[in-house]
Amino acid sequence: MTYRTHIGIFYSYGPHFIKTARSLRETHPQAEITAFVPEHFPVELLSGLDILIQPLLPDNGRERAIKKVVTIIRAIRKERLDIFVVLFNSPRLQ
């Protein structure tokens, strides 16, 4: 059985997210990649990249309740990622 590296990428508003997703796919063609994106993210932006979409983040401008934060953390941990890519420095995310 062949082991596939599992990479997660956490959504960041702006053009860097799509560029990073493309770069990850090019750099790690055999990896399983999961993108954690807002609930109404236009998934066609990642079409053709063979990236699993997890639409669990609140949409931009929506209230972030503690319950939602716990749900997000559990979903990320459940994926058992080998690498987790975050495109911004966030003490809250750390």
Side-chain angles (χ1 to χ4, degrees), residues 8-9 14 16 23-24 31 37-38 40 46 49 52-53 55 73 79 86 93:
I9 180 171
H16 303 296
S23 177
L24 282 173
V37 298
H40 295 97
L46 297 176
L49 295 179
L52 176 66
I53 307 297
I73 291 169
E79 292 294 325
V86 179
L93 188 57

PDB file of all heavy atoms in Angstrom, residues 8-9 14 16 23-24 31 37-38 40 46 49 52-53 55 73 79 86 93:
ATOM      1  N   GLY A   8      -3.223  20.105   3.832  1.00  0.00           N
ATOM      2  CA  GLY A   8      -4.379  20.974   3.993  1.00  0.00           C
ATOM      3  C   GLY A   8      -3.979  22.404   3.718  1.00  0.00           C
ATOM      4  O   GLY A   8      -2.875  22.829   4.049  1.00  0.00           O
ATOM      5  N   ILE A   9      -4.877  23.151   3.077  1.00  0.00           N
ATOM      6  CA  ILE A   9      -4.626  24.566   2.829  1.00  0.00           C
ATOM      7  C   ILE A   9      -5.819  25.352   3.364  1.00  0.00           C
ATOM      8  O   ILE A   9      -6.965  25.050   3.056  1.00  0.00           O
ATOM      9  CB  ILE A   9      -4.359  24.866   1.335  1.00  0.00           C
ATOM     10  CG1 ILE A   9      -4.113  26.368   1.118  1.00  0.00           C
ATOM     11  CG2 ILE A   9      -5.446  24.320   0.449  1.00  0.00           C
ATOM     12  CD1 ILE A   9      -3.623  26.721  -0.274  1.00  0.00           C
ATOM     13  N   GLY A  14      -7.949  36.665  -1.191  1.00  0.00           N
ATOM     14  CA  GLY A  14      -6.974  37.275  -2.085  1.00  0.00           C
ATOM     15  C   GLY A  14      -6.453  36.279  -3.098  1.00  0.00           C
ATOM     16  O   GLY A  14      -6.764  35.095  -3.054  1.00  0.00           O
ATOM     17  N   HIS A  16      -3.552  34.974  -3.532  1.00  0.00           N
ATOM     18  CA  HIS A  16      -2.511  34.042  -3.104  1.00  0.00           C
ATOM     19  C   HIS A  16      -3.055  32.652  -2.829  1.00  0.00           C
ATOM     20  O   HIS A  16      -2.334  31.666  -2.986  1.00  0.00           O
ATOM     21  CB  HIS A  16      -1.768  34.579  -1.887  1.00  0.00           C
ATOM     22  CG  HIS A  16      -1.157  35.919  -2.118  1.00  0.00           C
ATOM     23  ND1 HIS A  16      -0.157  36.125  -3.042  1.00  0.00           N
ATOM     24  CD2 HIS A  16      -1.420  37.136  -1.588  1.00  0.00           C
ATOM     25  CE1 HIS A  16       0.187  37.393  -3.057  1.00  0.00           C
ATOM     26  NE2 HIS A  16      -0.575  38.035  -2.188  1.00  0.00           N
ATOM     27  N   SER A  23       0.281  25.798  -6.963  1.00  0.00           N
ATOM     28  CA  SER A  23       1.674  25.463  -6.684  1.00  0.00           C
ATOM     29  C   SER A  23       1.794  24.158  -5.889  1.00  0.00           C
ATOM     30  O   SER A  23       2.665  23.332  -6.166  1.00  0.00           O
ATOM     31  CB  SER A  23       2.341  26.605  -5.928  1.00  0.00           C
ATOM     32  OG  SER A  23       3.663  26.281  -5.595  1.00  0.00           O
ATOM     33  N   LEU A  24       0.899  23.986  -4.915  1.00  0.00           N
ATOM     34  CA  LEU A  24       0.908  22.739  -4.139  1.00  0.00           C
ATOM     35  C   LEU A  24       0.662  21.536  -5.035  1.00  0.00           C
ATOM     36  O   LEU A  24       1.323  20.505  -4.909  1.00  0.00           O
ATOM     37  CB  LEU A  24      -0.143  22.779  -3.034  1.00  0.00           C
ATOM     38  CG  LEU A  24       0.189  23.581  -1.792  1.00  0.00           C
ATOM     39  CD1 LEU A  24      -1.029  23.667  -0.874  1.00  0.00           C
ATOM     40  CD2 LEU A  24       1.368  22.960  -1.050  1.00  0.00           C
ATOM     41  N   ALA A  31       0.045  13.958  -3.908  1.00  0.00           N
ATOM     42  CA  ALA A  31      -0.522  14.228  -2.577  1.00  0.00           C
ATOM     43  C   ALA A  31      -2.038  14.355  -2.630  1.00  0.00           C
ATOM     44  O   ALA A  31      -2.621  14.730  -3.647  1.00  0.00           O
ATOM     45  CB  ALA A  31       0.080  15.503  -2.002  1.00  0.00           C
ATOM     46  N   VAL A  37     -12.342  26.049   2.938  1.00  0.00           N
ATOM     47  CA  VAL A  37     -12.800  27.297   2.311  1.00  0.00           C
ATOM     48  C   VAL A  37     -14.119  27.759   2.931  1.00  0.00           C
ATOM     49  O   VAL A  37     -14.785  27.005   3.634  1.00  0.00           O
ATOM     50  CB  VAL A  37     -12.973  27.095   0.786  1.00  0.00           C
ATOM     51  CG1 VAL A  37     -11.652  26.735   0.128  1.00  0.00           C
ATOM     52  CG2 VAL A  37     -14.027  26.050   0.483  1.00  0.00           C
ATOM     53  N   PRO A  38     -14.532  29.011   2.636  1.00  0.00           N
ATOM     54  CA  PRO A  38     -15.832  29.503   3.111  1.00  0.00           C
ATOM     55  C   PRO A  38     -16.990  28.693   2.512  1.00  0.00           C
ATOM     56  O   PRO A  38     -16.855  28.071   1.454  1.00  0.00           O
ATOM     57  CB  PRO A  38     -15.876  30.952   2.610  1.00  0.00           C
ATOM     58  CG  PRO A  38     -14.448  31.330   2.442  1.00  0.00           C
ATOM     59  CD  PRO A  38     -13.748  30.078   2.006  1.00  0.00           C
ATOM     60  N   HIS A  40     -19.645  29.393   0.873  1.00  0.00           N
ATOM     61  CA  HIS A  40     -20.110  29.707  -0.475  1.00  0.00           C
ATOM     62  C   HIS A  40     -18.957  30.022  -1.433  1.00  0.00           C
ATOM     63  O   HIS A  40     -19.089  30.819  -2.351  1.00  0.00           O
ATOM     64  CB  HIS A  40     -21.126  30.857  -0.436  1.00  0.00           C
ATOM     65  CG  HIS A  40     -22.375  30.475   0.291  1.00  0.00           C
ATOM     66  ND1 HIS A  40     -22.576  30.785   1.618  1.00  0.00           N
ATOM     67  CD2 HIS A  40     -23.453  29.772  -0.114  1.00  0.00           C
ATOM     68  CE1 HIS A  40     -23.745  30.308   1.998  1.00  0.00           C
ATOM     69  NE2 HIS A  40     -24.297  29.682   0.972  1.00  0.00           N
ATOM     70  N   LEU A  46     -11.035  26.099  -8.317  1.00  0.00           N
ATOM     71  CA  LEU A  46     -10.052  25.040  -8.072  1.00  0.00           C
ATOM     72  C   LEU A  46     -10.270  23.829  -8.976  1.00  0.00           C
ATOM     73  O   LEU A  46      -9.641  22.790  -8.781  1.00  0.00           O
ATOM     74  CB  LEU A  46     -10.114  24.603  -6.601  1.00  0.00           C
ATOM     75  CG  LEU A  46      -9.757  25.671  -5.569  1.00  0.00           C
ATOM     76  CD1 LEU A  46      -9.948  25.143  -4.157  1.00  0.00           C
ATOM     77  CD2 LEU A  46      -8.335  26.166  -5.762  1.00  0.00           C
ATOM     78  N   LEU A  49      -7.734  20.746 -10.405  1.00  0.00           N
ATOM     79  CA  LEU A  49      -6.554  20.604  -9.546  1.00  0.00           C
ATOM     80  C   LEU A  49      -6.606  19.362  -8.659  1.00  0.00           C
ATOM     81  O   LEU A  49      -5.659  19.098  -7.926  1.00  0.00           O
ATOM     82  CB  LEU A  49      -6.386  21.849  -8.665  1.00  0.00           C
ATOM     83  CG  LEU A  49      -6.074  23.152  -9.388  1.00  0.00           C
ATOM     84  CD1 LEU A  49      -5.967  24.303  -8.391  1.00  0.00           C
ATOM     85  CD2 LEU A  49      -4.797  23.033 -10.193  1.00  0.00           C
ATOM     86  N   LEU A  52      -9.687  18.296  -2.779  1.00  0.00           N
ATOM     87  CA  LEU A  52     -10.925  18.083  -2.040  1.00  0.00           C
ATOM     88  C   LEU A  52     -11.323  19.392  -1.376  1.00  0.00           C
ATOM     89  O   LEU A  52     -10.500  20.039  -0.727  1.00  0.00           O
ATOM     90  CB  LEU A  52     -10.736  16.994  -0.981  1.00  0.00           C
ATOM     91  CG  LEU A  52     -11.915  16.718  -0.069  1.00  0.00           C
ATOM     92  CD1 LEU A  52     -13.085  16.139  -0.855  1.00  0.00           C
ATOM     93  CD2 LEU A  52     -11.510  15.763   1.033  1.00  0.00           C
ATOM     94  N   ILE A  53     -12.569  19.777  -1.515  1.00  0.00           N
ATOM     95  CA  ILE A  53     -13.065  21.029  -0.958  1.00  0.00           C
ATOM     96  C   ILE A  53     -13.835  20.751   0.331  1.00  0.00           C
ATOM     97  O   ILE A  53     -14.733  19.919   0.349  1.00  0.00           O
ATOM     98  CB  ILE A  53     -14.013  21.741  -1.963  1.00  0.00           C
ATOM     99  CG1 ILE A  53     -13.348  21.914  -3.328  1.00  0.00           C
ATOM    100  CG2 ILE A  53     -14.506  23.059  -1.394  1.00  0.00           C
ATOM    101  CD1 ILE A  53     -12.132  22.782  -3.328  1.00  0.00           C
ATOM    102  N   PRO A  55     -16.031  22.988   2.543  1.00  0.00           N
ATOM    103  CA  PRO A  55     -16.650  24.311   2.735  1.00  0.00           C
ATOM    104  C   PRO A  55     -17.208  24.477   4.138  1.00  0.00           C
ATOM    105  O   PRO A  55     -18.402  24.331   4.367  1.00  0.00           O
ATOM    106  CB  PRO A  55     -17.759  24.314   1.678  1.00  0.00           C
ATOM    107  CG  PRO A  55     -18.130  22.881   1.548  1.00  0.00           C
ATOM    108  CD  PRO A  55     -16.880  22.083   1.819  1.00  0.00           C
ATOM    109  N   ILE A  73     -12.054  23.457  13.962  1.00  0.00           N
ATOM    110  CA  ILE A  73     -10.887  22.782  14.546  1.00  0.00           C
ATOM    111  C   ILE A  73     -11.044  21.271  14.472  1.00  0.00           C
ATOM    112  O   ILE A  73     -10.113  20.552  14.087  1.00  0.00           O
ATOM    113  CB  ILE A  73     -10.656  23.253  15.997  1.00  0.00           C
ATOM    114  CG1 ILE A  73     -10.203  24.712  16.002  1.00  0.00           C
ATOM    115  CG2 ILE A  73      -9.633  22.368  16.705  1.00  0.00           C
ATOM    116  CD1 ILE A  73     -10.196  25.354  17.367  1.00  0.00           C
ATOM    117  N   GLU A  79      -8.945  15.364   9.572  1.00  0.00           N
ATOM    118  CA  GLU A  79      -8.264  15.083   8.310  1.00  0.00           C
ATOM    119  C   GLU A  79      -6.891  14.437   8.505  1.00  0.00           C
ATOM    120  O   GLU A  79      -6.340  13.877   7.574  1.00  0.00           O
ATOM    121  CB  GLU A  79      -8.119  16.361   7.481  1.00  0.00           C
ATOM    122  CG  GLU A  79      -9.420  16.899   6.972  1.00  0.00           C
ATOM    123  CD  GLU A  79     -10.089  15.997   5.955  1.00  0.00           C
ATOM    124  OE1 GLU A  79      -9.386  15.342   5.152  1.00  0.00           O
ATOM    125  OE2 GLU A  79     -11.329  15.953   5.952  1.00  0.00           O
ATOM    126  N   VAL A  86      -0.990  27.672   5.911  1.00  0.00           N
ATOM    127  CA  VAL A  86      -1.744  28.855   6.298  1.00  0.00           C
ATOM    128  C   VAL A  86      -1.025  30.051   5.680  1.00  0.00           C
ATOM    129  O   VAL A  86       0.176  30.195   5.841  1.00  0.00           O
ATOM    130  CB  VAL A  86      -1.812  28.999   7.840  1.00  0.00           C
ATOM    131  CG1 VAL A  86      -2.590  30.243   8.229  1.00  0.00           C
ATOM    132  CG2 VAL A  86      -2.437  27.759   8.462  1.00  0.00           C
ATOM    133  N   LEU A  93      -5.173  31.648  15.058  1.00  0.00           N
ATOM    134  CA  LEU A  93      -5.140  30.372  14.371  1.00  0.00           C
ATOM    135  C   LEU A  93      -4.103  29.437  14.979  1.00  0.00           C
ATOM    136  O   LEU A  93      -4.314  28.234  15.072  1.00  0.00           O
ATOM    137  CB  LEU A  93      -4.855  30.573  12.876  1.00  0.00           C
ATOM    138  CG  LEU A  93      -4.976  29.358  11.994  1.00  0.00           C
ATOM    139  CD1 LEU A  93      -6.373  28.743  12.098  1.00  0.00           C
ATOM    140  CD2 LEU A  93      -4.677  29.730  10.562  1.00  0.00           C
TER     141      LEU A  93
END
